[in-house]
Amino acid sequence: GYSPNRGPPPMPSSRMAPPPVAPKILSAPGGRSGGEQFSKEKIEIRAKNMRDEFMNEGRDEKELLLTMDENLGGNEKAGNIIVQLYADKSMDCKAPERKAMNDILVILYKAGKLTKSDIEGPMADMVEFIDSFVVDSPGAIGFLGEMLAPFLDMKVLDIKWLCEKTALLMNKKDQKEVIHKAILEMKKACGDGSARAVFGGPNEVKALEQLLGAGEFQSIAAQCL
Protein backbone atom coordinates (compact mmCIF):
# COMPACT_ATOMS: atom_id res chain seq x y z
CA GLY A 1 0.00 0.00 0.00
CA TYR A 2 0.96 3.68 -0.05
CA SER A 3 3.62 4.68 2.49
CA PRO A 4 3.69 8.35 3.59
CA ASN A 5 7.48 8.27 3.46
CA ARG A 6 7.59 7.53 -0.26
CA GLY A 7 6.73 10.90 -1.76
CA PRO A 8 3.36 12.51 -2.44
CA PRO A 9 0.27 10.37 -3.06
CA PRO A 10 -1.11 10.13 -6.60
CA MET A 11 -2.98 13.26 -7.64
CA PRO A 12 -6.74 12.78 -7.13
CA SER A 13 -8.81 12.94 -10.30
CA SER A 14 -10.47 16.18 -9.13
CA ARG A 15 -7.07 17.92 -9.51
CA MET A 16 -6.52 16.68 -13.07
CA ALA A 17 -7.57 19.62 -15.20
CA PRO A 18 -8.54 18.51 -18.71
CA PRO A 19 -7.03 20.33 -21.72
CA PRO A 20 -7.19 23.09 -22.86
CA VAL A 21 -7.40 24.40 -19.28
CA ALA A 22 -3.87 25.07 -18.01
CA PRO A 23 -2.83 22.76 -15.15
CA LYS A 24 -2.69 24.21 -11.68
CA ILE A 25 0.72 24.57 -10.12
CA LEU A 26 1.11 23.66 -6.47
CA SER A 27 1.63 26.69 -4.26
CA ALA A 28 5.18 27.26 -3.11
CA PRO A 29 5.66 27.65 0.66
CA GLY A 30 5.63 31.26 1.78
CA GLY A 31 3.46 32.49 -1.11
CA ARG A 32 2.49 36.15 -1.06
CA SER A 33 -1.16 35.23 -0.71
CA GLY A 34 -3.33 32.17 -1.09
CA GLY A 35 -4.48 32.87 -4.65
CA GLU A 36 -4.90 30.25 -7.36
CA GLN A 37 -1.65 29.04 -8.93
CA PHE A 38 -1.36 29.40 -12.72
CA SER A 39 0.83 27.89 -15.41
CA LYS A 40 3.38 30.08 -17.20
CA GLU A 41 1.10 30.28 -20.26
CA LYS A 42 -1.83 31.53 -18.21
CA ILE A 43 0.32 34.12 -16.43
CA GLU A 44 1.57 35.38 -19.81
CA ILE A 45 -1.99 35.74 -21.14
CA ARG A 46 -2.99 37.70 -18.04
CA ALA A 47 0.12 39.88 -18.30
CA LYS A 48 -0.77 40.75 -21.91
CA ASN A 49 -4.34 41.58 -20.87
CA MET A 50 -3.01 43.71 -18.02
CA ARG A 51 -0.87 45.71 -20.47
CA ASP A 52 -3.80 46.18 -22.88
CA GLU A 53 -6.13 47.35 -20.10
CA PHE A 54 -3.50 49.76 -18.79
CA MET A 55 -3.11 51.30 -22.25
CA ASN A 56 -6.83 51.40 -23.06
CA GLU A 57 -8.16 52.58 -19.70
CA GLY A 58 -6.16 55.76 -19.15
CA ARG A 59 -3.12 54.16 -17.48
CA ASP A 60 -5.00 53.72 -14.21
CA GLU A 61 -2.40 52.69 -11.59
CA LYS A 62 -4.94 51.72 -8.94
CA GLU A 63 -6.74 49.45 -11.39
CA LEU A 64 -3.41 47.95 -12.49
CA LEU A 65 -2.48 47.01 -8.90
CA LEU A 66 -5.95 45.55 -8.30
CA THR A 67 -5.65 43.49 -11.48
CA MET A 68 -2.22 42.24 -10.41
CA ASP A 69 -3.53 41.20 -6.98
CA GLU A 70 -6.73 39.61 -8.23
CA ASN A 71 -5.22 37.75 -11.15
CA LEU A 72 -1.70 36.89 -10.05
CA GLY A 73 -1.55 37.30 -6.27
CA GLY A 74 0.14 34.29 -4.66
CA ASN A 75 1.85 33.13 -7.86
CA GLU A 76 5.46 33.15 -6.74
CA LYS A 77 6.92 33.11 -10.26
CA ALA A 78 4.43 35.57 -11.77
CA GLY A 79 6.68 38.60 -11.33
CA ASN A 80 9.63 36.98 -13.06
CA ILE A 81 7.43 35.74 -15.92
CA ILE A 82 5.85 39.17 -16.44
CA VAL A 83 9.25 40.93 -16.54
CA GLN A 84 10.61 38.31 -18.98
CA LEU A 85 7.55 38.61 -21.22
CA TYR A 86 7.57 42.41 -21.27
CA ALA A 87 11.34 42.50 -21.87
CA ASP A 88 11.00 40.16 -24.87
CA LYS A 89 8.01 42.07 -26.27
CA SER A 90 9.80 45.41 -25.82
CA MET A 91 12.37 44.41 -28.39
CA ASP A 92 9.81 44.35 -31.18
CA CYS A 93 6.81 46.61 -30.58
CA LYS A 94 5.68 50.19 -31.10
CA ALA A 95 6.93 52.93 -28.78
CA PRO A 96 3.63 53.50 -26.86
CA GLU A 97 3.36 49.78 -26.07
CA ARG A 98 6.99 49.65 -24.95
CA LYS A 99 6.52 52.68 -22.71
CA ALA A 100 3.38 51.15 -21.18
CA MET A 101 5.19 47.90 -20.35
CA ASN A 102 8.17 49.75 -18.86
CA ASP A 103 5.85 51.95 -16.79
CA ILE A 104 3.88 48.92 -15.56
CA LEU A 105 7.09 47.25 -14.33
CA VAL A 106 8.12 50.41 -12.46
CA ILE A 107 4.66 50.81 -10.88
CA LEU A 108 4.56 47.14 -9.84
CA TYR A 109 8.06 47.31 -8.36
CA LYS A 110 7.37 50.50 -6.40
CA ALA A 111 4.18 48.93 -5.04
CA GLY A 112 6.07 45.84 -3.83
CA LYS A 113 4.46 43.53 -6.41
CA LEU A 114 7.84 42.73 -8.02
CA THR A 115 11.06 41.85 -6.23
CA LYS A 116 14.67 42.75 -7.06
CA SER A 117 15.24 39.18 -8.29
CA ASP A 118 12.12 39.40 -10.52
CA ILE A 119 13.85 42.29 -12.28
CA GLU A 120 17.46 41.09 -12.20
CA GLY A 121 17.08 37.65 -13.81
CA PRO A 122 15.20 38.64 -16.98
CA MET A 123 17.21 41.85 -17.39
CA ALA A 124 20.47 39.89 -17.13
CA ASP A 125 19.29 37.61 -19.95
CA MET A 126 18.36 40.62 -22.09
CA VAL A 127 21.80 42.22 -21.67
CA GLU A 128 23.69 38.98 -22.26
CA PHE A 129 21.75 38.06 -25.42
CA ILE A 130 20.96 41.53 -26.79
CA ASP A 131 23.16 40.88 -29.83
CA SER A 132 20.72 38.19 -31.00
CA PHE A 133 17.81 40.67 -30.83
CA VAL A 134 19.67 43.30 -32.88
CA VAL A 135 19.51 41.04 -35.95
CA ASP A 136 15.71 41.48 -36.24
CA SER A 137 15.34 44.71 -34.29
CA PRO A 138 18.14 47.22 -35.02
CA GLY A 139 16.95 49.51 -32.20
CA ALA A 140 17.10 46.74 -29.59
CA ILE A 141 20.07 48.15 -27.63
CA GLY A 142 18.26 51.47 -27.25
CA PHE A 143 15.09 49.66 -26.15
CA LEU A 144 17.17 47.78 -23.58
CA GLY A 145 18.49 51.14 -22.33
CA GLU A 146 14.90 52.34 -21.86
CA MET A 147 14.15 49.32 -19.68
CA LEU A 148 17.34 49.58 -17.64
CA ALA A 149 17.13 53.34 -16.94
CA PRO A 150 14.45 53.46 -14.21
CA PHE A 151 15.84 50.42 -12.41
CA LEU A 152 19.35 51.87 -12.40
CA ASP A 153 17.87 55.13 -11.12
CA MET A 154 16.02 53.28 -8.31
CA LYS A 155 19.21 51.29 -7.51
CA VAL A 156 17.47 47.99 -8.19
CA LEU A 157 20.30 47.41 -10.68
CA ASP A 158 23.76 48.95 -10.42
CA ILE A 159 26.79 49.57 -12.63
CA LYS A 160 28.78 46.65 -11.20
CA TRP A 161 25.88 44.36 -12.22
CA LEU A 162 25.56 46.01 -15.63
CA CYS A 163 29.31 45.67 -16.33
CA GLU A 164 29.31 41.98 -15.31
CA LYS A 165 26.39 41.19 -17.65
CA THR A 166 27.67 43.37 -20.52
CA ALA A 167 31.09 41.65 -20.30
CA LEU A 168 29.34 38.41 -21.38
CA LEU A 169 28.73 39.93 -24.84
CA MET A 170 31.40 38.68 -27.24
CA ASN A 171 31.59 41.83 -29.36
CA LYS A 172 33.32 44.91 -27.88
CA LYS A 173 31.25 47.14 -30.17
CA ASP A 174 28.04 45.75 -28.62
CA GLN A 175 29.45 46.25 -25.11
CA LYS A 176 30.21 49.89 -25.88
CA GLU A 177 26.77 50.40 -27.42
CA VAL A 178 24.97 48.91 -24.38
CA ILE A 179 26.71 51.36 -22.03
CA HIS A 180 26.34 54.32 -24.40
CA LYS A 181 22.60 53.71 -24.96
CA ALA A 182 21.99 53.04 -21.26
CA ILE A 183 23.45 56.47 -20.41
CA LEU A 184 21.53 58.25 -23.18
CA GLU A 185 18.20 56.63 -22.22
CA MET A 186 18.80 57.37 -18.56
CA LYS A 187 19.40 61.04 -19.33
CA LYS A 188 16.21 61.10 -21.38
CA ALA A 189 14.08 59.35 -18.74
CA CYS A 190 15.61 60.54 -15.47
CA GLY A 191 17.66 63.65 -16.27
CA ASP A 192 21.36 64.49 -16.59
CA GLY A 193 21.91 64.59 -12.82
CA SER A 194 20.61 61.04 -12.34
CA ALA A 195 22.75 59.74 -15.19
CA ARG A 196 25.86 61.36 -13.71
CA ALA A 197 25.02 60.01 -10.24
CA VAL A 198 24.61 56.45 -11.54
CA PHE A 199 27.44 56.30 -14.10
CA GLY A 200 29.89 58.95 -12.85
CA GLY A 201 30.92 57.86 -9.34
CA PRO A 202 34.56 56.77 -8.85
CA ASN A 203 33.75 53.06 -8.39
CA GLU A 204 31.36 53.12 -11.34
CA VAL A 205 33.89 54.83 -13.61
CA LYS A 206 36.53 52.28 -12.59
CA ALA A 207 34.19 49.36 -13.44
CA LEU A 208 33.19 50.93 -16.77
CA GLU A 209 36.84 51.62 -17.69
CA GLN A 210 37.73 48.01 -16.88
CA LEU A 211 34.90 46.84 -19.13
CA LEU A 212 35.47 49.09 -22.14
CA GLY A 213 39.00 50.42 -21.69
CA ALA A 214 39.69 53.84 -20.17
CA GLY A 215 39.90 55.63 -23.51
CA GLU A 216 36.60 54.20 -24.81
CA PHE A 217 34.66 55.02 -21.66
CA GLN A 218 36.13 58.52 -21.34
CA SER A 219 35.09 59.17 -24.92
CA ILE A 220 31.48 58.19 -24.09
CA ALA A 221 31.59 60.17 -20.84
CA ALA A 222 32.81 63.27 -22.67
CA GLN A 223 29.84 63.04 -25.06
CA CYS A 224 27.16 62.03 -22.58
CA LEU A 225 28.10 62.89 -18.98
Side-chain angles (χ1 to χ4, degrees):
Y2 169 70
S3 159
N5 299 323
R6 297 193 56 186
M11 187 181 278
S13 58
S14 63
R15 293 295 302 278
M16 300 293 281
V21 178
K24 289 184 179 180
I25 299 166
L26 293 176
S27 178
R32 292 176 201 169
S33 71
E36 184 187 355
Q37 298 299 300
F38 299 133
S39 68
K40 183 184 178 198
E41 291 72 22
K42 198 163 185 179
I43 290 169
E44 288 182 340
I45 290 165
R46 295 197 172 212
K48 287 173 192 168
N49 291 342
M50 195 161 69
R51 174 202 62 203
D52 295 344
E53 284 170 14
F54 183 73
M55 291 180 73
N56 297 333
E57 294 175 11
R59 302 168 67 86
D60 187 328
E61 291 188 23
K62 193 174 170 190
E63 196 59 42
L64 172 70
L65 296 176
L66 274 174
T67 303
M68 181 72 179
D69 283 343
E70 286 170 7
N71 285 318
L72 298 169
N75 284 262
E76 282 296 306
K77 296 204 169 123
N80 187 279
I81 291 166
I82 291 168
V83 177
Q84 188 71 65
L85 177 74
Y86 285 3
D88 287 345
K89 295 278 180 200
S90 288
M91 294 297 113
D92 185 25
C93 69
K94 294 193 166 86
E97 193 179 343
R98 192 164 57 250
K99 177 161 174 42
M101 290 188 288
N102 290 349
D103 289 350
I104 288 170
L105 295 181
V106 171
I107 293 163
L108 293 179
Y109 180 80
K110 284 182 172 175
K113 309 295 181 191
L114 296 176
T115 65
K116 184 180 168 78
S117 65
D118 288 337
I119 304 293
E120 270 186 345
M123 293 292 185
D125 289 343
M126 296 308 293
V127 176
E128 184 179 348
F129 299 110
I130 195 64
D131 49 352
S132 61
F133 287 99
V134 173
V135 178
D136 296 318
S137 179
I141 294 179
F143 305 153
L144 173 65
E146 288 176 25
M147 293 195 80
L148 293 173
F151 293 106
L152 288 166
D153 190 43
M154 291 189 288
K155 300 182 170 49
V156 182
L157 306 174
D158 60 27
I159 297 307
K160 180 173 178 284
W161 174 92
L162 181 59
C163 288
E164 282 171 6
K165 304 310 169 193
T166 304
L168 298 170
L169 285 163
M170 301 302 288
N171 189 324
K172 272 287 180 196
K173 181 172 170 287
D174 290 335
Q175 293 180 7
K176 183 181 171 185
E177 192 74 355
V178 166
I179 300 303
H180 189 192
K181 286 287 168 51
I183 296 173
L184 290 178
E185 293 302 334
M186 184 150 197
K187 285 176 69 172
K188 207 185 293 181
C190 311
D192 291 6
S194 291
R196 274 195 294 273
V198 167
F199 287 89
N203 290 336
E204 287 74 19
V205 168
K206 187 177 174 188
L208 288 158
E209 287 182 346
Q210 281 176 344
L211 173 70
L212 300 178
E216 284 287 10
F217 177 66
Q218 288 307 327
S219 159
I220 293 173
Q223 291 173 54
C224 304
L225 295 174

